[in-house]
Amino acid sequence: MEVVRELNLLQRLRNKRDKPDSYAAFWLAHDGDDCLPGYTRLSDNPEIQTACLRIAELIGGMTIHLMENTAEGDRRIINELSRAIDIQPNGTMTRMQWMTAIVMTLLLKGNSVVVPHTHKGILQSMEPIAADRVDFRAVGNSRRDYRVMIDGQPRNPEDVMHFAYNPDPAWPWKGRGATVTLKEIAGNLKQAEKTKKAFLSSEWKPSIIVKVDSTNGMFAQPEQRQKFLESYVKPPYQGAPWLIPADQIQVEQVKPLTLSDLAIKDTVEMDKRTVAAVFGVPPYLLGVGEFHRDEWNSFVQTRVKTIALIIQQEMTRTLLTSPKWYLVLNYWSLIDYDLKAVSDVLLAGADRGYVNGDEWRDRMHMEPAGLKDYKVLENYIPYEDSGNQKKLVQND
């Protein structure tokens, strides 16, 4: 039966119109029942799951700003639409849960689909669709036009939000995720975990070896050896000294085999660093290395910002009709700033009238105090008035 099941699965792979890049990509996109025996999905690997979850949680915590292009510059709009997008995008989950689910599916599967529901042109809710309910079909031989299949029903891409990660070169509208790159790494990490469990559960890890006289008949049977251990070696209380016959036995201490001796630690650390590099996360998030502020800020400004751009651009394309409006995920809130450095920059701006007191208090995580006035030092004057200073103009 297992052989027939494997053959049927491989036949389904060959018959697929849009073949995946690898069997790993197909297995990852389906539930566990479709996997061949002994295969573990990449989404079940703890290191890969952790790397994706860290990115998803960070993006889930970013505020979504509705912005408008104006002649004076871009400004933020706060209305019912911005509230529906940023605060309550779905009636059955929080914005954090909603966005985290979208990003996790995007990174692990390569594609994430969200269906917006409207009533009389007003956005009511945005529903994330589970990956096993979604498929994609090209229209004819076109490599540009396609349909999003949800529960077997075709949807126009303009009517849904389709987020794609790592676009397929042959089908640019379809994401591939990181399945092919991480297949072998996931296998190595899984095997290392099995080896570690087998080692820790093994009974062959003695810390003391007792050498006895083999010619002495009192150690010939297991019962006799056990009786000797209980009589001489087993202490009556913790820390009690041993009293043993010197002419019959000799006690030696041996170093037990460790995970370092098996080189598992170095192998696992290398694989974790590779997973971190593929997803662009700092290695310390996977338990390797230490925290560095510059590395964290680079991670936010590159990897997290890149995923945020995928989200905000697709949401702008689908949800907004005004050409002057667009959505922005505020990744600046994730930057790890030194509080004193931020305070010094803002105070320097306050001296020039660029920052008021409440803006400074907001960045210092303090409540507003009604300090709305912009003040400048007396020697900061407009350029055109620089020649009108009293020290330069004397006696008319």
Side-chain angles (χ1 to χ4, degrees):
M1 291 299 294
E2 291 295 335
V3 175
V4 174
R5 181 169 175 266
E6 293 182 22
L7 291 176
N8 290 338
L9 176 57
L10 294 176
Q11 185 63 38
R12 288 166 55 191
L13 284 171
R14 297 189 184 97
N15 293 338
K16 284 179 67 67
R17 176 188 233 176
D18 184 16
K19 294 185 179 180
D21 291 334
S22 68
Y23 292 150
F26 174 78
W27 290 325
L28 183 62
H30 293 74
D31 57 27
D33 293 338
D34 286 337
C35 294
L36 290 174
Y39 179 80
T40 300
R41 295 176 297 176
L42 297 182
S43 57
D44 293 334
N45 180 272
E47 286 77 15
I48 296 175
Q49 182 95 9
T50 300
C52 295
L53 184 60
R54 292 295 177 266
I55 297 176
E57 289 176 339
L58 289 174
I59 297 179
M62 297 164 61
T63 56
I64 305 175
H65 294 174
L66 176 60
M67 306 295 293
E68 179 183 21
N69 293 124
T70 67
E72 291 78 22
D74 296 354
R75 67 181 184 91
R76 184 180 178 183
I77 300 176
I78 299 178
N79 55 20
E80 290 301 318
L81 177 60
S82 66
R83 175 181 175 82
I85 295 174
D86 184 47
I87 299 178
Q88 196 173 9
N90 188 285
T92 60
M93 63 184 73
T94 64
R95 204 289 302 272
M96 178 73 175
Q97 293 173 316
W98 177 78
M99 182 61 76
T100 301
I102 292 174
V103 179
M104 284 293 288
T105 303
L106 175 64
L107 295 178
L108 290 173
K109 309 296 183 180
N111 299 273
S112 184
V113 174
V114 178
V115 176
H117 299 285
T118 61
H119 178 67
K120 296 183 179 180
I122 299 177
L123 181 65
Q124 302 293 319
S125 177
M126 291 176 281
E127 178 190 3
I129 307 300
D132 57 0
R133 297 174 53 194
V134 179
D135 198 3
F136 304 94
R137 288 288 183 269
V139 177
N141 295 325
S142 173
R143 293 187 179 270
R144 294 184 299 175
D145 195 11
Y146 72 102
R147 293 293 180 267
V148 180
M149 311 295 293
I150 301 178
D151 296 329
Q153 300 298 319
R155 297 287 190 95
N156 195 309
E158 296 181 357
D159 299 331
V160 300
M161 286 184 283
H162 173 204
F163 308 102
Y165 175 66
N166 187 16
D168 190 314
W171 313 98
W173 36 264
K174 184 177 181 181
R176 294 184 300 171
T179 56
V180 178
T181 307
L182 294 173
K183 177 185 176 183
E184 296 299 329
I185 301 173
N188 293 342
L189 291 170
K190 180 183 177 183
Q191 184 59 45
E193 184 66 22
K194 286 184 177 180
T195 304
K196 183 175 69 174
K197 288 182 178 179
F199 173 78
L200 294 177
S201 61
S202 174
E203 298 179 357
W204 301 97
K205 299 191 299 294
S207 58
I208 295 293
I209 293 180
V210 179
K211 183 187 296 186
V212 299
D213 185 3
S214 61
T215 60
N216 195 324
M218 64 178 295
F219 303 118
Q221 300 298 326
E223 297 81 3
Q224 295 173 334
R225 293 193 292 269
Q226 182 64 30
K227 183 178 179 181
F228 170 81
L229 289 175
E230 293 179 355
S231 301
Y232 293 98
V233 178
K234 187 176 180 180
Y237 57 88
Q238 186 174 5
W242 290 3
L243 299 177
I244 57 177
D247 56 340
Q248 294 183 353
I249 65 174
Q250 180 181 353
V251 179
E252 293 185 4
Q253 182 178 0
V254 297
K255 181 181 177 181
L257 188 66
T258 65
L259 291 176
S260 298
D261 298 325
L262 299 178
I264 291 181
K265 179 179 179 296
D266 295 337
T267 302
V268 170
E269 180 174 333
M270 181 178 63
D271 288 338
K272 285 186 176 182
R273 289 187 180 276
T274 304
V275 172
V278 169
F279 283 104
V281 303
Y284 87 93
L285 290 178
L286 301 182
V288 181
E290 299 178 352
F291 170 80
H292 299 284
R293 176 177 294 164
D294 292 340
E295 184 180 27
W296 171 265
N297 290 339
S298 176
F299 160 60
V300 171
Q301 292 177 307
T302 54
R303 177 59 62 190
V304 174
K305 182 181 178 182
T306 300
I307 304 300
L309 286 174
I310 296 175
I311 302 293
Q312 70 186 37
Q313 290 177 2
E314 180 65 13
M315 293 180 67
T316 298
R317 181 192 71 85
T318 307
L319 300 177
L320 305 183
T321 57
S322 173
K324 296 184 178 181
W325 288 8
Y326 64 95
L327 294 170
V328 172
L329 273 72
N330 182 25
Y331 74 93
W332 290 103
S333 61
L334 304 178
I335 300 295
D336 185 12
Y337 294 108
D338 178 73
L339 198 60
K340 185 180 185 304
V342 173
S343 176
D344 291 343
V345 171
L346 293 176
L347 289 177
D351 292 343
R352 292 163 173 79
Y354 305 148
V355 179
N356 63 37
D358 276 351
E359 291 172 333
W360 179 89
R361 292 176 64 89
D362 178 69
R363 294 304 300 271
M364 297 298 109
H365 310 289
M366 302 170 66
E367 295 182 357
L371 305 176
K372 301 295 184 183
D373 296 333
Y374 293 90
K375 301 178 180 180
V376 297
L377 296 179
E378 60 181 4
N379 57 330
Y380 292 104
I381 61 176
Y383 172 77
E384 59 271 15
D385 293 335
S386 60
N388 298 329
Q389 301 178 68
K390 288 185 178 182
K391 65 180 179 181
L392 299 180
V393 180
Q394 300 179 4
N395 298 326
D396 299 330

